[in-house]
Amino acid sequence: MKACQQTGMTLLELLIAMGLTSLLMLGLFHFASAAGSSNRLMENQAMLQDQLRVTRRVLARAVRQAGFNPNPWQTSQSINPLGEGTVNSHNAGSDRLVVKSWSDRNCFDNLNPVKNTEGDPAFHIRESAFDVSNDGHLTRDCRYGPALSDMTTQIRRQGLVPGIESFQLLFGEDTDANGNIDRWSLAQDWGEGNSVKGVRVGLLLASQDSVTDPVAHIYRVLDETKSTRADGKLRLNAEFVFALRGADR
């Protein structure tokens, strides 16, 4: 009767199998890491686009309504669309924009509870100020009231959009009253506030996460040069122009 022979792996075969398994696991680890990095990159790219869309929507609405007068034949109700608080390099190296208009909605976009003689919501002055906080948020202050001398602050330092590294402004002037913009000037460098027909906005936005190679860059944001840190963050440099709705009056 033949004795049963036991078969098994030799030490060499075991070492080879362990080595192949380690290589396979290492490859899977690198693949998973690369996939995770790619997902983070795409998420931050999408987030930057969302930040830009929100910023553009908020500013477009405010600027296009600036100077609006529901009764243009009543010159006593005419207001300068740009507030005196509009300045250059207000905070964090960014500019400050203040716009005013007559509105039947307050800072919270609710209809004015005060009624006019017809029983409709009365038009009061709404003043919104936009600048960048020290932590990189586009912020908004808002006042509302029946007259410039009787305004109530309803919103103070409301954070709207994060990741704003630079917020720059230029103002389009119609210097010869022909209805066209002849030059772009800095805040308060315009001849008369009523000559400003449009606002040019420059933005530099940064992603939340570090997802690229850590290399420093220099960006031109309208009239300013912005140097960034080598932090690996994605950045988006954007520019757009809005017309002042109440500029022609």
Side-chain angles (χ1 to χ4, degrees), residues 177-240:
N178 66 353
N180 298 318
I181 292 176
D182 305 307
R183 71 167 188 170
W184 292 95
S185 60
L186 300 175
Q188 306 299 339
D189 283 349
W190 53 70
E192 294 181 6
N194 290 349
S195 69
V196 177
K197 302 298 182 182
V199 180
R200 191 172 165 191
V201 179
L203 291 168
L204 181 63
L205 303 96
S207 66
Q208 179 180 352
D209 302 320
S210 299
V211 291
T212 63
D213 293 333
V215 179
H217 292 282
I218 297 177
Y219 295 90
R220 186 71 179 176
V221 187
L222 292 189
D223 59 310
E224 294 289 333
T225 299
K226 175 72 175 179
S227 300
T228 64
R229 294 177 296 172
D231 53 13
K233 292 186 176 184
L234 289 175
R235 286 180 170 84
L236 180 59
N237 192 1
E239 181 181 320
F240 30 81

Side-chain angles (χ1 to χ4, degrees), residues 38-56:
S38 178
N39 286 337
R40 285 181 62 208
L41 177 63
M42 290 188 292
E43 288 173 358
N44 278 267
Q45 286 174 332
M47 202 177 303
L48 272 180
Q49 292 296 331
D50 285 341
Q51 290 168 235
L52 179 61
R53 277 193 292 270
V54 172
T55 305
R56 180 169 185 167

Side-chain angles (χ1 to χ4, degrees), residues 82-102:
L82 298 172
E84 295 74 16
T86 300
V87 293
N88 290 308
S89 300
H90 171 73
N91 195 27
S94 294
D95 297 343
R96 187 170 195 252
L97 174 67
V98 180
V99 290
K100 294 178 292 188
S101 68
W102 286 95

Side-chain angles (χ1 to χ4, degrees), residues 60-72:
R61 184 182 179 190
V63 172
R64 288 169 180 164
Q65 291 178 344
F68 173 70
N69 183 355
N71 304 311

Side-chain angles (χ1 to χ4, degrees), residues 120-131:
D120 298 321
F123 278 81
H124 284 182
I125 298 173
R126 183 169 63 185
E127 179 186 83
S128 295
F130 301 92
D131 58 41

